[in-house]
Amino acid sequence: HQQMSPRAAFFASVERVPMREAVGRVSAELLCPYPPGIPAIAPGEVVTLEVVAHLQQVLAQGGRVNGAGDDSLQTIEVVVVDEVKIR
């Protein structure tokens, strides 16, 4: 779900954390797995276990994830906790 606006997340302070630690945090990246080419998470949305599992499955099956700062998806950029405000 959307925790803050994409614009607010884009301009917020961010940090790179291991993917497993990102669950429950607010994404600062737009991650679009291909196939199918539909964004799985956008800036401002809360990272869920389901999203992480889906992205890792896409990679394991030979797909790719556009928009990731770390192509291996070992890490992800999230908004610094102090910056998160309810939209």
Side-chain angles (χ1 to χ4, degrees):
H1 78 278
Q2 197 75 33
Q3 179 67 33
M4 61 193 306
S5 74
R7 183 179 194 283
F10 180 82
F11 288 111
S13 298
V14 299
E15 61 184 332
R16 185 161 292 282
V17 300
M19 186 64 85
R20 66 185 176 282
E21 293 177 19
V23 174
R25 302 278 305 269
V26 176
S27 175
E29 294 186 296
L30 175 69
L31 301 180
C32 186
Y34 183 83
I38 299 168
I41 192 154
E45 292 183 343
V46 176
V47 179
T48 65
L49 189 57
E50 292 80 12
V51 167
V52 171
H54 173 66
L55 294 171
Q56 290 173 337
Q57 180 181 22
V58 167
L59 284 184
Q61 293 175 345
R64 66 179 190 269
V65 178
N66 293 328
D70 174 2
D71 290 336
S72 71
L73 289 184
Q74 295 299 307
T75 63
I76 183 175
E77 279 193 349
V78 294
V79 175
V80 172
V81 174
D82 292 344
E83 300 251 339
V84 177
K85 295 176 181 62
I86 296 176
R87 56 185 169 118

